[in-house]
Amino acid sequence: MMNRTGSGDGPKSARPDDASVELDGRSLTLRDVLRLARPPREGKAVTAALSPGAVAAARQSVRLRDSLIAERKPIYGVTTGFGDSVTSQVSPERAAHLQRNLIRYHLNGTGPDTASDVVRATLLIRANALARGNSGIRPEVIGKLLEHLNADILPRVPERGSLGASGDLVPLCYVASVLLGDGEVRFGKKSVPAAVAQREAGITPVTLEAKEGLALINGTSFTAAFAAIAAHDAARLAEAAEIATAFAGEALLGNASHYAAFVHDAKPHPGQRTSAGQLRRLTADSGLSTTYEAIRDSTEPLHEDYRRLDQRIQDHYSLRCAPHVVGVLRDTLSWAEQWLTTEINASTDNPLFSVDEQRVHHGGNFYAGHVGQAMDSLKVATASVADLLDRQLALLVDPKFSGGLPANLVPPSLDAEAGLHHGFKGMQIAASALTAEALKTSSPASVFSRSTEAHNQDKVSMGTIAARDARTVNELTGEVAAIALLAGAQAVELRGLSKAAPAVRRVHATIRAHVPFADGDRRMEADIAAVSELIFNGELARAAGFSPDKDSDAAAA
């Protein structure tokens, strides 16, 4: 397994198994990222190490780096200044000092501290990017990232300060600083100086050589970490939206024929078809929802010129078009996950060393444009799901549309206290506010490129902001989904739980194991938090018969 002593012998390779991930810079999966970012609260945590091939490739890259430096010709960021200061060349003897100053002058992040799961993912993805062997950094230094990850020594990283090109300079400097023994870390449940945690874990700080500071900070790993976790959580929201739609359809005595395979095979977007199939499964064997055929058969033929039907043969769009809305999220995830998989297996710093060609290349792989585009698209699709669920909730609580359910889902048992209880009225207000915030936050960040750094960085991706926004939209949509599910559970119980589809009853039981029926007005913020956690930890999806990845089900530590 990974050497944690910091002896300077370089990282030892891990034997691949269920408890280890071996990094080669090319085969890291999003599933791996989640396994290490969100370790189980109990049981053996997953660890990571460099593959033997990655160690060898890094050593070759360093040898090429040193041979080129010896020629005393300018190499960007190695023997020159940074950014617009590229015209300043320093001697090889001063190259290492230059790297230390690079880290110092970027320690100006602001905002809240980054969550532990994102920091873990950042450490992993940065190590994997460097494991490709193109970056001129020793394997011992790459190994320090993994030693901190495996010991769960997490740098304190402010969220704000990255343009998403030239990579995540500011946040990754906080990571690099810790490797040098400076800065603050989260270790256990405490915030302590990095040096204290390193002594306790037996980790020796590094002394950087030429290029190594730039290799650590000039990349998209912080952005990609937010994005990988956002994509995972958005997939959970797609499942939650389908479950909530099934509840709403049951409670509103909806028309399940809208989800017929024929309809969606006629417009065969994969996500739409998947979503419709899940809704067919979730509402199967229901005694509450109906079909067009059942409505038709119970309706007498028309023998006069006009009549008003007792029952709608088509539901409102928020029920009828749910597969079309959730399907957009599912399909957005399908290509966003492909882009993210490429990003987390890429060399994203500059310059890069080609051992085969024995030359250095200057480029811009630090530009997080693909991640920014993916996250801007993801947050729009996710916020649209929040809007869908908010509209369904409006139908459930309003007796003009709910088909006989009590106003605001106040139980009839409270008739003796009529006028004193308001049920889910406040919950709908909260859901509307959360939805508005999600929709507002879905505004694209990638269009706000700013020219900076003496117009050297004159076109930037804003991918980091887009990825952080995607995380925020997920949180807001999760809260909307929780409210919609709580209302759905209440409404199905009022309608007659025994008649509901088996899958709906299973989910209802899971919700009721954590949140009681609202038999009168009470505080409900804890209810929202409890159901939101059920969404993101996968428990709700498992109860509904989905098959979420078991290895990524643990909640964030």
Side-chain angles (χ1 to χ4, degrees), residues 176-206:
S177 180
V178 164
L179 266 58
L180 303 180
D182 297 333
E184 296 288 318
V185 298
R186 284 194 291 272
F187 187 43
K189 296 183 179 180
K190 299 180 295 182
S191 178
V192 299
V196 172
Q198 288 165 342
R199 280 196 300 272
E200 186 172 335
I203 296 175
T204 304
V206 299

Side-chain angles (χ1 to χ4, degrees), residues 282-493:
L282 291 168
T283 56
D285 301 320
S286 171
L288 291 176
S289 61
T290 186
T291 64
Y292 168 70
E293 289 74 19
I295 297 170
R296 182 197 61 194
D297 292 347
S298 64
T299 303
E300 293 295 327
L302 178 64
H303 296 298
E304 57 273 359
D305 291 334
Y306 169 83
R307 72 179 170 194
R308 187 170 183 84
L309 294 172
D310 295 330
Q311 193 169 2
R312 299 171 62 99
I313 61 172
Q314 288 191 160
D315 290 336
H316 294 84
Y317 282 16
S318 60
L319 290 177
R320 194 187 340 158
C321 298
H324 307 75
V325 177
V326 182
V328 171
L329 175 55
R330 285 188 172 276
D331 283 335
T332 301
L333 281 166
S334 69
W335 60 261
E337 288 170 352
Q338 293 177 20
W339 285 11
L340 294 178
T341 299
T342 297
E343 193 77 23
I344 67 175
N345 287 288
S347 293
T348 57
D349 56 310
N350 172 58
L352 299 175
F353 296 91
S354 171
V355 172
D356 290 343
E357 298 174 304
Q358 287 293 290
R359 61 171 292 187
V360 63
H361 289 271
H362 297 87
N365 282 2
F366 47 69
Y367 194 91
H370 281 80
V371 183
Q373 179 67 35
M375 291 299 101
D376 276 346
S377 298
L378 182 64
K379 66 189 183 185
V380 168
T382 304
S384 182
V385 166
D387 192 37
L388 175 83
L389 299 181
D390 183 51
R391 297 301 82 216
Q392 292 176 0
L393 176 63
L395 299 178
L396 287 172
V397 299
D398 191 335
K400 293 190 298 293
F401 305 105
S402 66
L405 288 171
N408 298 306
L409 306 179
V410 176
S413 59
L414 295 173
D415 285 350
E417 299 181 34
L420 298 180
H421 295 269
H422 292 78
F424 276 73
K425 182 185 287 290
M427 291 284 265
Q428 194 209 354
I429 293 170
S432 185
L434 293 164
T435 300
E437 188 170 351
L439 293 167
K440 181 268 296 181
T441 308
S442 71
S443 174
S446 55
V447 300
F448 289 97
S449 175
R450 310 293 301 150
S451 182
T452 188
E453 202 262 302
H455 294 291
N456 174 57
Q457 298 179 20
D458 59 349
K459 175 64 176 171
V460 293
S461 76
M462 295 300 180
T464 320
I465 297 174
R468 288 173 47 228
D469 281 350
R471 180 272 314 271
T472 301
V473 170
N474 280 346
E475 291 174 351
L476 292 164
T477 302
E479 291 163 353
V480 175
I483 293 172
L485 285 160
L486 286 162
Q490 180 94 354
V492 167
E493 209 160 334

